[in-house]
Amino acid sequence: MELSQLKMVNAVARTGSIARAAEQLHCVPSNITNRLKQLECELGTPLFTRVGRGLKISAAGEIFLGYSERILALVDEAKRALDDQAEPSGLLRLGAIESCAGGRLPPLLAQYHRRYPKVSVELVTGTWSQLFTQLQQQRIDGALVAVDTLPPRLKQTVLYHEPLVLISSAGSAPIHSASDLQGQHLFMWPQGCPYRHALENWLARHGLNLPITGYASWGTIIGCVSVGAGVSLIPEGVLERYAQSATLNIQRFSDLLPVDNRFVWHQDVQRHNARDAFARLLQEHLRA
């Protein structure tokens, strides 16, 4: 078993194709095919199954993939430990919830690219639970989330307090207090979203128990509100992204508490120049 074979397994698992994996690894497809067959013979089990013209990782392959990612991450950490003062370079795998990815993050990513051109950044979006799973499996190096309860082996730092605003369509009646929401249709992310939790807590403090329709997309939620279908509570950073495309009334309430956004990483990866440089950039511009 060689590190090059582990990289091949990871590339095929990500792309679902030997041809695309070969492009990423700058080798010929036949080399990957032969090396994977050798590895499967050594392990005594198939790592992939063919589905149409592509490949899907097998149940045994999923188990092996978790170990291979950890091994490769440990190898990278060993290299970084010997060159701790070097300029950040290599691959940085980031995750973010949609409100961060579409709100505060884009200008910071652009600045990071200018400051550290030798770093190649990969960004995935997902729910906080999905991102925590990827962090625990060391499939990503860091994540931006908005929850404060962490699974084992993850560490965090608070970056900024995200203000929350209530939005309604420009043609609807003004909303001056929580009681004005009676009879309104509320749109929010599904259960588990920290912003939905903030909305439910705010309504409960005012003695309101209103039905909420869950959509897992800020674009869909804001689109429904802008055409007068109802109201929603959104992070201010998301509002900035959609302000040009939606006609909205915006209300701020002093008792609507902000939500803390946090940067999270795996505690076992103590040194990661590219990740640590990104964390410093986040703190420089977003520190609460």
Side-chain angles (χ1 to χ4, degrees):
M1 186 184 304
E2 301 175 1
L3 290 179
S4 59
Q5 290 173 304
L6 302 186
K7 292 178 181 178
M8 290 174 181
V9 171
N10 288 13
V12 174
R14 285 198 308 269
T15 63
S17 164
I18 286 180
R20 288 197 293 271
E23 291 177 1
Q24 289 187 1
L25 298 175
H26 307 291
C27 64
V28 296
S30 59
N31 184 30
I32 294 181
T33 300
N34 293 334
R35 300 297 298 283
L36 287 182
K37 286 182 179 178
Q38 292 171 3
L39 180 59
E40 289 176 330
C41 287
E42 181 181 344
L43 296 173
T45 184
L47 299 177
F48 296 94
T49 57
R50 183 160 293 281
V51 178
R53 301 179 63 181
L55 291 176
K56 180 181 179 182
I57 194 163
S58 66
E62 284 282 4
I63 296 172
F64 184 80
L65 179 64
Y67 284 100
S68 70
E69 288 174 332
R70 287 158 59 186
I71 291 169
L72 292 173
L74 192 59
V75 170
D76 288 340
E77 184 181 354
K79 293 177 181 177
R80 292 191 297 266
L82 298 177
D83 197 15
D84 196 35
Q85 302 304 313
E87 178 184 357
S89 61
L91 177 63
L92 174 60
R93 304 163 302 171
L94 296 174
I97 56 175
E98 187 189 347
S99 59
C100 294
R104 310 288 185 186
L105 200 52
L108 295 178
L109 285 173
Q111 184 170 349
Y112 184 82
H113 281 300
R114 291 192 297 269
R115 190 177 293 186
Y116 305 107
K118 294 182 180 180
V119 178
S120 176
V121 178
E122 291 182 357
L123 176 67
V124 297
T125 58
T127 65
W128 58 268
S129 58
Q130 292 169 335
L131 296 177
F132 283 164
T133 298
Q134 293 186 66
L135 278 171
Q136 287 181 305
Q137 296 172 349
Q138 298 188 31
R139 296 186 179 183
I140 56 176
D141 303 308
L144 283 156
V145 299
V147 293
D148 57 359
T149 303
L150 299 184
R153 309 191 73 79
L154 299 185
K155 298 182 69 174
Q156 66 175 328
T157 183
V158 176
L159 292 173
Y160 63 99
H161 307 310
E162 181 69 79
L164 305 177
V165 296
L166 197 73
I167 61 171
S168 58
S169 71
S172 63
I175 297 174
H176 300 296
S177 66
S179 60
D180 292 334
L181 294 177
Q182 288 283 9
Q184 291 276 6
H185 201 129
L186 296 178
F187 295 100
M188 202 62 201
W189 274 62
Q191 289 287 351
C193 169
Y195 303 113
R196 177 176 178 137
H197 187 61
L199 172 61
E200 291 172 337
N201 284 344
W202 184 63
L203 293 174
R205 288 198 299 272
H206 290 274
L208 298 174
N209 182 18
L210 304 178
I212 300 174
T213 299
Y215 290 132
S217 165
W218 288 119
T220 301
I221 290 171
I222 293 174
C224 290
V225 172
S226 66
V227 298
V231 301
S232 183
L233 183 71
I234 68 171
E236 198 165 58
V238 173
L239 177 65
E240 295 171 3
R241 174 186 175 189
Y242 289 95
Q244 301 279 336
S245 59
T247 303
L248 302 169
N249 283 329
I250 301 166
Q251 296 292 335
R252 294 173 173 83
F253 296 94
S254 59
D255 61 342
L256 259 175
L257 302 180
V259 172
D260 287 343
N261 281 306
R262 304 157 189 269
F263 188 64
V264 185
W265 65 95
H266 199 293
Q267 68 177 22
D268 289 351
V269 185
Q270 298 181 18
R271 292 185 178 90
H272 193 303
N273 283 1
R275 180 202 66 193
D276 298 340
F278 185 74
R280 289 193 296 270
L281 179 66
L282 292 176
Q283 292 170 346
E284 178 182 331
H285 290 273
L286 299 176
R287 172 62 77 182

